[in-house]
Amino acid sequence: MSTIPRSGTPATSSVFADGEISFWYQEIGLPARRPALPGVLEVDVALVVGGCTALWTAYYLKQAQPDLRIAVLEKEFAGFGASGRNGGRLSAEPPGRMRRYARTHGREAAVALQREMFSSVDEVVRVAAEEGIEADIRKDGLLHVAINAAQERRLRERLPVLRAEGWGEDDLVELDRDRLAERVRIAGARSALWSPHCARIQPAKLVRGLADAVERMGVAVHEGTEVTEIRPRRAVTTHGTVRATYVIRAWRGSPPGCAATAGSGCP
Ligand SMILES: Cc1cc2nc3c(=O)[nH]c(=O)nc-3n(C[C@H](O)[C@H](O)[C@H](O)COP(=O)(O)OP(=O)(O)OC[C@H]3O[C@@H](n4cnc5c(N)ncnc54)[C@H](O)[C@@H]3O)c2cc1C
């Protein structure tokens, strides 16, 4: 059951443009704003910002412990940031090179991480189906295509590196020109690498569906609520302070639109 009723509060950002609302929302319409934080609140877990990092964290925390009191604090609306404006490629490719992870954590751990990334693609597809999230998901894999000699050489050189990083014969398949043409005909294509571990998604649909799913699980999603400061066991917002046993900085990079400078306490 939803803990927060939906409202039609107008969004601060209401324009489909770069830096404003993602073009993906043109297809599904501007999300109605959930109410902002109503004032002082006490929870077990406060998740600062409302993108996929926060929402997936909320999802699995609730799965693990359904009675946890969780609040998501988002300045605009859940999915306003990169989570609702990305390329829609749900892939198992790691950010950066695995050899860097291997250097710090050992090869075995890096390979285990890669295997987890393979299974996480199927996990997203599974959860979306289970939660009734319609996100135009289609899992057809990922192709890297070489259309000139230099690209072909790079693909060939990359293959043994990826094999050593945990990409087995079923995870990465070499395709010559003819086998590639059986899948897709691309002018000038010479060869390709194909991996089954990738799906295409409509990111705005996925992140909005996920926000709805966590709300149904009892997570409080407060939109239009800017976090201005994180203190031990406290998230200070423009609408009041949230006291929490755990305050989690739940974003991958720097949240966009955070005006305050480093060291000011702004997330
Ligand atoms: C153009 C683009 C294309 C991409 N393509 C892909 C792709 O195809 N595949 C892929 O896997 N990844 C892709 N990525 C990366 C991926 O989208 C991000 O890594 C991911 O969405 C990060 O999610 P997040 O939850 O950490 O942060 P975000 O989704 O960015 O969420 C940050 C949130 O913080 C909020 N916020 C900011 N300041 C405050 C504040 N002070 N208080 C409260 N809230 C605040 C913002 O409104 C925003 O909603 C792409 C990214 C971009 C930008």
Side-chain angles (χ1 to χ4, degrees), residues 63-241:
Q63 292 266 321
Q65 198 174 318
D67 64 346
L68 271 183
R69 297 167 303 160
I70 302 176
V72 172
L73 307 169
E74 164 59 44
K75 178 178 164 185
E76 292 277 347
F77 56 79
F80 172 80
S83 300
R85 64 180 72 227
N86 61 55
R89 198 171 55 135
L90 172 59
S91 97
E93 292 187 331
R97 294 283 189 234
M98 268 297 174
R99 62 171 176 265
R100 291 186 57 198
Y101 301 104
R103 233 176 273 140
T104 48
H105 293 78
R107 182 179 173 274
E108 209 175 301
V111 169
L113 172 62
Q114 185 60 71
R115 307 297 315 171
E116 284 300 319
M117 292 192 70
F118 293 151
S119 55
S120 67
V121 175
D122 289 327
E123 172 66 359
V124 173
V125 177
R126 183 193 70 76
V127 173
E130 197 169 292
E131 298 295 339
I133 300 171
E134 297 287 345
D136 302 343
I137 300 178
R138 189 170 163 141
K139 188 172 175 241
D140 274 339
L142 177 72
L143 269 178
H144 285 281
V145 179
I147 57 167
N148 59 44
Q151 290 176 352
E152 196 166 35
R153 194 185 62 244
R154 280 201 294 274
L155 279 193
R156 217 175 289 128
E157 287 169 359
R158 184 100 188 94
L159 188 62
V161 176
L162 290 168
R163 289 269 183 265
E165 291 173 353
W167 296 71
E169 299 286 336
D170 294 337
D171 305 312
L172 199 61
V173 181
E174 270 186 285
L175 302 176
D176 60 20
R177 191 192 315 250
D178 293 339
R179 286 185 66 204
L180 173 62
E182 287 167 19
R183 288 180 179 277
V184 56
R185 285 194 299 278
I186 299 170
R190 301 163 72 111
S191 62
L193 293 177
W194 176 78
S195 167
H197 302 298
C198 187
R200 75 110 207 262
I201 56 152
Q202 208 282 26
K205 289 185 179 179
L206 180 65
V207 68
R208 294 301 296 177
L210 188 57
D212 292 342
V214 300
E215 252 194 340
R216 285 195 301 272
M217 295 164 93
V219 173
V221 181
H222 296 293
E223 299 182 336
T225 302
E226 183 176 0
V227 178
T228 54
E229 201 177 347
I230 294 176
R231 295 189 196 150
R233 297 174 189 266
R234 244 178 259 191
V236 182
T237 84
T238 42
H239 289 71
T241 295

